[in-house]
Amino acid sequence: MAVSHPANESSILDVNARQPRGRLAVRIWLGVVLVTLFCLVLVGGATRLTESGLSITEWKPIHGVIPPLSAEEWDEEFVLYQRIPQYQEINKGMTVDEFKTIFWWEWSHRLLARGIGIVFALPLAFFWATGRIERRLRWPLVGLLALGGFQGFIGWWMVSSGLAVRTDVSQYRLATHLVIACLIFAGCMWIMRGLSPHSADRAPTTGSRTMAAVIACFAMFQIYLGALVAGLDAGFAYNTWPLMDGALVPGDLFIQKPAFINLFENPKTVQYVHRLGAYVLFALVLLHMITSLRVAPQTTHARRSVVLFLLVTAQAAIGIVTLVMQVPLHWALLHQGGALVVLGFAVAHWRGFYGEYPRS
């Protein structure tokens, strides 16, 4: 005859009852991380648009938390800035008060970057110690933390490109910096979505999951193209739509030699490719939505495809307005924020086809 163990059964029931609450706590934490990352990227965009990124010319991961606190310290920082080409060729004659404006943008960006390390690392350690981090998620979360630490180095690597010869940072390094931030953002979204309850709806078609993956990856690629546009200030030229330089396909797209270098260093070509990328992404989400609604209109997957299409459409409209208005700061930041929203939702939509992580 089987022997019952009330105490053991009670403990098992307690664990099963605690697990959903544990997942909820981890999801809330990852949501806070996502909001902080979103703010960090927006401040980084403002730093780029206000040409503030080179105002702090030294990398001080610890001491740099404390800004200048006296007139003498402000003068010291300003003297360091006066040594670089950006000041000598563009901002010569700038006053200390004008310097403070660009300094605070860059300092705020670096402070947020440091802060997100704390927002990520301390709760991770707490949840790990209290058994709330499931075994399958431990190394992925540690990997995201390590990638965040590496991102700090990439940020300085980017800034250093504009301290000696150039008057701005390398568009290649800027794009690398932004893409890594977006990878961390996407990774947090993927894990948070996996810890969330899912519907039991089947995918509309056998290719729906693949299409969702293609859309999410292409959204990331479009952000990379946008970073090249920002790095080259390509958005400040050719401010008409749908024509560009008076044509649907403008001339001189491959005027530089070798031809492929135009894709990265010719502002006209880079902006044009970014436009084409927007058209392709729009077509992908439209096709995905139509297919989902035609085959399985009542599923959550189909409803998400509609939301994704609306987000991409709104983002495209914001991009057009930003372009024709010659990139005003607020519209440009709205466009950058919209890109993160599209990426985040695309990743969540893709993850939705896999269902919730099994509860063990």
Side-chain angles (χ1 to χ4, degrees):
M1 184 174 67
V3 179
S4 64
H5 299 280
N8 290 343
E9 290 174 0
S10 176
S11 64
I12 291 172
L13 290 173
D14 287 343
V15 170
N16 289 334
R18 279 201 310 270
Q19 190 168 8
R21 290 199 296 272
R23 285 194 166 189
L24 177 61
V26 173
R27 281 180 9 230
I28 291 173
W29 160 55
L30 289 174
V32 171
V33 171
L34 286 170
V35 171
T36 310
L37 277 169
F38 184 85
C39 295
L40 176 63
V41 172
L42 285 192
V43 173
T47 300
R48 174 70 189 96
L49 288 163
T50 56
E51 303 288 348
S52 304
L54 300 178
S55 58
I56 301 178
T57 61
E58 295 181 334
W59 190 31
K60 300 175 181 177
I62 306 300
H63 179 65
V65 174
I66 304 173
L69 300 176
S70 66
E72 292 76 15
E73 291 178 350
W74 277 113
D75 287 339
E76 290 175 7
E77 287 287 346
F78 191 33
V79 167
L80 291 174
Y81 178 67
Q82 289 174 318
R83 296 174 181 173
I84 69 172
Q86 186 183 79
Y87 172 83
Q88 296 166 1
E89 298 180 28
I90 298 176
N91 291 330
K92 197 171 184 66
M94 171 185 278
T95 65
V96 174
D97 286 337
E98 290 170 335
F99 169 71
K100 289 180 180 179
T101 300
I102 62 173
F103 178 93
W104 284 122
W105 275 118
E106 175 63 6
W107 182 83
S108 299
H109 183 52
R110 296 192 188 194
L111 183 66
L112 263 176
R114 294 179 176 99
I116 200 168
I118 297 173
V119 169
F120 196 101
L122 293 185
L124 174 61
F126 171 77
F127 288 136
W128 193 316
T130 55
R132 290 177 172 85
I133 301 296
E134 299 168 27
R135 188 176 299 274
R136 68 171 63 85
L137 300 180
R138 291 176 180 176
W139 286 114
L141 288 170
V142 169
L144 288 175
L145 179 61
L147 189 59
F150 180 65
Q151 173 74 326
F153 166 76
I154 292 296
W156 174 248
W157 177 65
M158 175 189 68
V159 169
S160 65
S161 67
L163 298 180
V165 178
R166 302 171 59 105
T167 59
D168 56 6
V169 300
S170 162
Q171 73 272 23
Y172 298 106
R173 299 187 187 188
L174 175 67
T176 301
H177 190 51
L178 180 58
V179 166
I180 291 177
C182 290
L183 284 173
I184 298 171
F185 186 87
C188 290
M189 179 64 76
W190 181 272
I191 293 173
M192 186 180 76
R193 184 73 178 97
L195 292 171
S196 304
H198 286 62
S199 74
D201 294 343
R202 298 180 61 181
T205 71
T206 55
S208 294
R209 181 194 294 182
T210 300
M211 178 61 88
V214 170
I215 289 171
C217 293
F218 201 87
M220 179 73 78
F221 179 63
Q222 183 67 353
I223 289 175
Y224 168 77
L225 294 176
L228 292 180
V229 170
L232 291 169
D233 291 328
F236 291 96
Y238 312 108
N239 300 103
T240 59
W241 186 87
L243 300 182
M244 179 177 177
D245 200 20
L248 287 175
V249 182
D252 297 331
L253 291 176
F254 293 95
I255 195 171
Q256 299 180 20
K257 303 298 179 185
F260 77 87
I261 205 68
N262 290 273
L263 299 172
F264 304 97
E265 298 186 4
N266 183 339
K268 176 185 270 191
T269 309
V270 168
Q271 189 197 125
Y272 183 68
V273 172
H274 187 51
R275 291 189 186 203
L276 292 181
Y279 302 149
V280 171
L281 182 58
F282 181 86
L284 288 173
V285 296
L286 177 61
L287 176 62
H288 182 58
M289 181 186 67
I290 291 173
T291 302
S292 299
L293 290 175
R294 180 175 57 83
V295 176
Q298 301 304 319
T299 63
T300 56
H301 305 298
R303 288 192 288 270
R304 284 199 311 270
S305 73
V306 174
V307 175
L308 182 57
F309 173 75
L310 293 175
L311 288 174
V312 170
T313 302
Q315 172 68 350
I318 293 169
I320 293 169
V321 172
T322 303
L323 178 72
V324 299
M325 293 183 67
Q326 298 184 355
V327 198
L329 178 62
H330 293 89
W331 278 97
L333 292 180
L334 184 62
H335 188 51
Q336 184 161 330
L340 269 185
V341 171
V342 168
L343 174 65
F345 194 86
V347 169
H349 177 58
W350 176 21
R351 184 62 184 78
F353 288 101
Y354 289 87
E356 184 180 359
Y357 288 123
R359 297 186 181 183
S360 53

